[in-house]
Amino acid sequence: DHLEQRIADWIGVLPTNLTVTAGSSEALEMVFEAYVDEGTNVLVLSPSYSLYEVFAAKCGARLIGFPFDSSLNVDVKSLIDAIVREQPRLIVLANPNQPTGTLLCSVELGKIANAALDAGAILLIDEAYWLFTPESALNLITDYPNVIVTRTFSKALGLAGLRLGYCAGPAERIAEVEKFRGVT
């Protein structure tokens, strides 16, 4: 509880908007387990973090890759069209993306969050590299009931061996995600 309080204070959220995890990979897996079922669609940028594919397969989901343009940018309008067309249950965006380094700004993420909300989808923003960027999507968790942000201490803070991460979102979402702690 003390650690959650300290992290919540550091990032400017209430402790009820946060759950501490064994690295961000546990946070990601918990979100997949909470919201993805057999046969549901999961929309991800392609290429992106390879564990998304593993977690989707583990849940029996259909992974839909959304391509970057030739300059490694995301056509947000086309992504929103894909959300409407595919009706995913979960949309996963690494921001900044790896391996491309593509960064979506908060205005673009707000548009995507709104489209996801209209489609009944959860928007999971993986901010493993957030400390290397000029802005964060964390503010979206107060404006959108469907946005969850995951982070790790292993990248910019160099604590990979500690396996410490967290998941932030609306309190209701965090309570749902916590139900899947340790599920294999």
Side-chain angles (χ1 to χ4, degrees), residues 89-170:
R89 179 68 181 119
L90 180 66
I91 301 155
V92 186
L93 303 175
N95 200 50
N97 187 57
Q98 64 88 5
T100 66
T102 305
L103 180 67
L104 295 165
C105 71
S106 59
V107 171
E108 293 169 319
L109 289 170
K111 290 177 183 178
I112 296 165
N114 197 44
L117 185 61
D118 289 346
I122 299 297
L123 174 59
L124 171 57
I125 303 169
D126 179 357
E127 287 194 336
Y129 295 93
W130 73 283
L131 286 171
F132 296 105
T133 65
E135 63 182 294
S136 164
L138 191 63
N139 63 319
L140 296 177
I141 71 169
T142 58
D143 298 331
Y144 296 94
N146 63 323
V147 173
I148 298 172
V149 175
T150 58
R151 292 180 174 171
T152 180
F153 285 83
S154 69
K155 307 300 183 213
L157 299 176
L159 299 174
L162 186 59
R163 299 296 306 140
L164 181 63
Y166 57 93
C167 184

Side-chain angles (χ1 to χ4, degrees), residues 36-42 54-63:
V36 178
D37 295 315
E38 181 91 24
T40 57
N41 290 340
V42 175
V54 172
F55 295 146
K58 179 180 175 187
C59 295
R62 178 176 167 246
L63 190 73

Side-chain angles (χ1 to χ4, degrees), residues 6-27:
R6 295 289 303 260
I7 294 171
D9 290 345
W10 179 54
I11 65 172
V13 301
L14 296 172
T16 55
N17 297 111
L18 175 84
T19 188
V20 175
T21 59
S24 63
S25 59
E26 182 186 37

Side-chain angles (χ1 to χ4, degrees), residues 25-39:
S25 59
E26 182 186 37
L28 293 166
E29 185 173 21
M30 288 166 59
V31 173
F32 271 81
E33 292 287 338
Y35 298 108
V36 178
D37 295 315
E38 181 91 24

Side-chain angles (χ1 to χ4, degrees), residues 78-97:
S78 294
L79 178 57
I80 290 170
D81 291 344
I83 292 168
V84 171
R85 182 179 61 253
E86 301 294 345
Q87 292 294 296
R89 179 68 181 119
L90 180 66
I91 301 155
V92 186
L93 303 175
N95 200 50
N97 187 57

